[in-house]
Every structure is written in structure tokens, then in C-alpha cells.
Amino acid sequence: MFVYAVDEEITLRLLDVKDAHELFRLTDRSREYLREWLPWVDETRTVLDSEDFIRYAWQSYEERLGLILGVYYQGKLCGMMGYNQFDWANRAGVIGYWQGKDFQGLGIITRATSALIDYGFQNLGLHRIEIRAAIENIKSRKIPERLGFTIEGQIRQGEWLYDHFVDLVVYGLLANEWEMVRGNR
């Protein structure tokens, strides 16, 4: 089982199927909040949907296609994050994240993303990490901007969000840039 301690308050870990009820409750409590920017929310209707997602995350982990983790804050599941995909030929990974409405404003995702970047460069041997966010999703965009990512471009109408397309901003960070960012902290 993959478990990664970020700090004394935050832990990242692979979820187990027994965590499906907790994941579904978190999703359901934050449904309207999450729905603004995440296209999968309406497809998560039951605990079984959360179980299926957890099984997908395990399969992705076992096949080295991704590393999708629960974010725990003070022992409570507060969101999900991880490498949604790896491109091993180019030593690249794409990070995604979300957290429940009740956990906003505590710096959880920024700290967890920083730790996940460390893990990617130091333990996985990645050379490049990417984060994509909808252009108008200011909260999500602040994370890579705080962590020293570079805006590399825009994908016009890059994601279907229920009844319309949204443009995405692509952020990139290279291993040597992260060393400089970490040295300036």
C-alpha cells in the first residue's frame, strides 16, 4: 500500500475499496462546489461509482500508468490528487487535484502538490511535470503559480464541462527548475 507523509498534518495514500463510502460522502457534500470545474461529478451517483474509481486508481498504480491518491488532513479524507498519467518514455507526469469545499483555504493542496513534485523528481526520476487547469479556475491555477511552474500555453476548448467547452492553461515544471525553486524557499 502506497502511503506518503507530507507533513505532520497531511498524508497521501492509495485508497482501498473500504474507503469508498468516505470518498462518496466527501464528493456528495461538495458536489455543487466541485461541479463548477470537474466534469466527472455528475457520473458519481453512488458509493459503487466511488468503488469503481478506487479500483481504477489501483489498476493505474499497478500498471504504472498513474498514481492517484487520497489526501488526508488531520486523519480525514479531504480530497484526491496524484499523477493522473505518466509518460515514461519522456519521464513526464501530469498532476491533478481536487479537495472538498470544507477544506479550502488551509494550504493543503499546495503542500501536498509540493510533496508530490518532490516524490516525482526524486523517487520516480521524472524530468517534467505538468498541471492543467481551466483558464477561469483561479483557485486551481494558483497552485502551480505558487510552486514555480511556467505557463507553457493554452489549449483552446480543451475540456468538455457538462454543456460547454473550457480553455485550459498548461503549466510545466522541469526537474532543474524545481531544484532552484526549492533552494529559494
Side-chain angles (χ1 to χ4, degrees):
M1 168 83 92
F2 183 93
V3 178
Y4 192 75
V6 172
D7 57 30
E8 58 284 342
E9 293 184 310
I10 303 168
T11 303
L12 304 176
R13 76 169 173 84
L14 278 168
L15 297 183
D16 192 87
V17 172
K18 67 180 171 41
D19 299 312
H21 286 277
E22 186 178 14
L23 177 59
F24 181 74
R25 279 191 303 270
L26 177 64
T27 302
D28 206 39
R29 278 195 315 267
S30 299
R31 186 170 296 280
E32 289 307 311
Y33 173 76
L34 296 173
R35 192 177 187 281
E36 183 176 6
W37 299 113
L38 299 174
W40 52 263
V41 176
D42 285 359
E43 300 303 315
T44 305
R45 297 181 193 104
T46 68
V47 173
L48 292 176
D49 295 325
S50 294
E51 285 180 12
D52 287 344
F53 173 75
I54 292 168
R55 285 188 189 95
Y56 165 79
W58 267 97
Q59 180 180 357
S60 181
Y61 174 67
E62 289 169 351
E63 295 176 6
R64 292 181 40 93
L65 299 173
L67 179 60
I68 303 165
L69 307 165
V71 180
Y72 285 82
Y73 176 71
Q74 298 178 347
K76 294 179 183 175
L77 181 64
C78 69
M80 297 293 298
M81 76 171 324
Y83 288 98
N84 292 334
Q85 68 183 60
F86 290 117
D87 173 354
W88 292 112
N90 294 302
R91 294 178 32 216
V94 179
I95 291 178
Y97 43 77
W98 66 267
Q99 75 180 358
K101 183 178 181 180
D102 297 340
F103 296 93
Q104 297 292 312
L106 301 172
I108 297 167
I109 296 299
T110 300
R111 289 186 279 164
T113 302
S114 178
L116 198 61
I117 293 165
D118 279 340
Y119 186 80
F121 288 140
Q122 295 172 6
N123 298 76
L124 299 176
L126 297 179
H127 173 70
R128 171 186 164 72
I129 295 173
E130 185 177 299
I131 294 175
R132 296 178 180 192
I135 255 182
E136 295 176 356
N137 187 347
I138 303 304
K139 286 182 181 179
S140 187
R141 290 183 58 189
K142 285 183 180 180
I143 305 298
E145 290 172 2
R146 276 188 207 111
L147 295 173
F149 281 69
T150 298
I151 293 176
E152 296 182 334
Q154 178 178 332
I155 301 172
R156 295 178 307 134
Q157 298 184 9
E159 186 171 58
W160 178 253
L161 197 57
Y162 302 105
D163 62 355
H164 65 286
F165 283 100
V166 294
D167 294 350
L168 301 174
V169 178
V170 178
Y171 292 91
L173 181 68
L174 304 177
N176 64 327
E177 295 169 337
W178 183 240
E179 290 304 316
M180 291 179 6
V181 168
R182 288 178 67 219
N184 292 331
R185 288 180 158 195

